Structures are given as structure tokens and as C-alpha cells.
């Protein structure tokens, strides 16, 4: 017999590759969980209790709204609890000179100098200098060392030469 699952449980991406987070991200998730469970959820429970006192549930818009908000909050709380439980904290301090998860790398790509921090997919934001180790560029950089040159083929085609200048 198969156990029923919530939609939020079905949408959870399973696999260790999505669980890598920085200590800062883990702390933000814990703060968000605390705010949702200790501040936001109790307010909605009070709203729901008030709406219940108004009577007839079938035509009670306040009740329907409070119930929907409570369901959304519970889903977010469940999702955050799962992400925190499965989180693998990235250790930025360990580096043997090669590019790993948590490394900051400075390199030349097609004559332009770029600096990126290699992180997990949850924190990637190329505009802020953070790329996932699962992205095409991140995957090409992982394992390389300062001073190496290699040909990089982006997904849109073509080939570019990358020279790694520094790994921190």
C-alpha cells in the first residue's frame, strides 16, 4: 500500500546535489523557520479561530482564507524543515589548491576577468558572483587548479579558452 503524500512532499527534489548550503544560508533558513512557526503561524491560527466563531463554513470567506493561509504556511514550514534536516554545510576552509564546492575562483574567459564563488544550486546567482557546481561553467571549473588553461564549451555552442588565475 502506498502512503499518501502532500504536494510539497512530491515537489521536494530528492538527491544530495540539492542539499549543499553555506553556513549563512542554513542560518537564514533557520531564522525563516523560526519566524514562520513562532510568529506567523500563531497569528493565522488566531484568525482561523475567529473565523470559526462566525459560523457557517460553506459561505464564510474569512474561514476559507485563513484555512488556505494556514495550509500555505504549513507547507513552507514543512519544506524548510526538510531542507534544514537534509542540509550539507559547505566547508569553505578546506582547499588543496583545486576548485571545490565553496571555492572562490578568479579566471579569464574570452579575455574578460571574472570571479565566481562555487556553491550549491540553492544559492546560485550569477549576477552576484555565485554559480552552482552543477551549472555547465561550474562543472567545468571543479577540480581545476590555478594556472591551468582549458577549452570550455558552453551549452549554446562555440569554444572559449579559460585561464584560472586564482583559487581561494
Amino acid at each position: 500500500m502506498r502512503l499518501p503524500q502532500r504536494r510539497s512532499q512530491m515537489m521536494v527534489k530528492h538527491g544530495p546535489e540539492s542539499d549543499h548550503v553555506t553556513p549563512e544560508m542554513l542560518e537564514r533558513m533557520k531564522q525563516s523557520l523560526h519566524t514562520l512557526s513562532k510568529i506567523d503561524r500563531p497569528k493565522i491560527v488566531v484568525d482561523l479561530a475567529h473565523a470559526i466563531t462566525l459560523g457557517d463554513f460553506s459561505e464564510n470567506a474569512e474561514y476559507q482564507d485563513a484555512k488556505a493561509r494556514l495550509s500555505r504556511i504549513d507547507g513552507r514550514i514543512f519544506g524548510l524543515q526538510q531542507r534544514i534536516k537534509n542540509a550539507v554545510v559547505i566547508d569553505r576552509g578546506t582547499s588543496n589548491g583545486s576548485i571545490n564546492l565553496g571555492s572562490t575562483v578568479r579566471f579569464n574567459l574570452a579575455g574578460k576577468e571574472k570571479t565566481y564563488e562555487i556553491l550549491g544550486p540553492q544559492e546560485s546567482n550569477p549576477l552576484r558572483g555565485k554559480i552552482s557546481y552543477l551549472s555547465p561553467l561550474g562543472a567545468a571549473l571543479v577540480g581545476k587548479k590555478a594556472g591551468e588553461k582549458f577549452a570550455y564549451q558552453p551549452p549554446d555552442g562555440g569554444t572559449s579558452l579559460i585561464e584560472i588565475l586564482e583559487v581561494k
Side-chain angles (χ1 to χ4, degrees):
M1 182 170 115
R2 200 170 146 201
L3 294 174
Q5 288 186 333
R6 291 182 174 134
R7 184 175 17 174
S8 61
Q9 290 172 317
M10 289 186 269
M11 293 179 162
V12 172
K13 185 175 181 178
H14 295 288
E17 64 275 354
S18 65
D19 298 333
H20 294 284
V21 295
T22 59
E24 296 84 13
M25 177 69 162
L26 182 60
E27 190 57 37
R28 282 195 309 269
M29 288 191 304
K30 287 179 180 178
Q31 287 290 337
S32 182
L33 177 62
H34 176 76
T35 301
L36 287 172
S37 60
K38 302 293 185 210
I39 299 169
D40 296 344
R41 190 176 190 284
K43 286 179 186 175
I44 294 172
V45 169
V46 168
D47 290 347
L48 184 61
H50 172 70
I52 287 173
T53 63
L54 298 176
D56 188 13
F57 298 143
S58 63
E59 295 181 16
N60 188 341
E62 280 186 56
Y63 171 75
Q64 299 295 332
D65 180 54
K67 197 168 117 179
R69 286 187 297 143
L70 184 62
S71 177
R72 278 193 303 272
I73 289 280
D74 285 343
R76 288 177 59 199
I77 288 171
F78 174 78
L80 278 170
Q81 287 171 336
Q82 291 301 311
R83 286 175 60 191
I84 290 169
K85 181 176 84 174
N86 297 326
V88 177
V89 178
I90 297 170
D91 185 12
R92 293 180 172 148
T94 60
S95 179
N96 56 359
S98 64
I99 300 170
N100 296 314
L101 206 55
S103 297
T104 300
V105 59
R106 190 169 58 90
F107 59 92
N108 278 329
L109 172 63
K112 295 180 185 172
E113 188 173 302
K114 299 186 181 260
T115 303
Y116 286 114
E117 186 175 8
I118 311 295
L119 299 173
Q122 293 182 20
E123 295 181 81
S124 68
N125 186 345
L127 297 176
R128 292 192 174 170
K130 298 176 180 186
I131 60 172
S132 170
Y133 72 100
L134 297 173
S135 69
L137 180 58
L141 289 169
V142 170
K144 305 287 193 286
K145 295 182 182 237
E148 284 189 42
K149 294 180 183 181
F150 65 97
Y152 168 64
Q153 295 179 338
D156 60 355
T159 302
S160 299
L161 182 66
I162 292 181
E163 177 185 3
I164 299 172
L165 304 172
E166 180 182 16
V167 177
K168 296 188 234 174

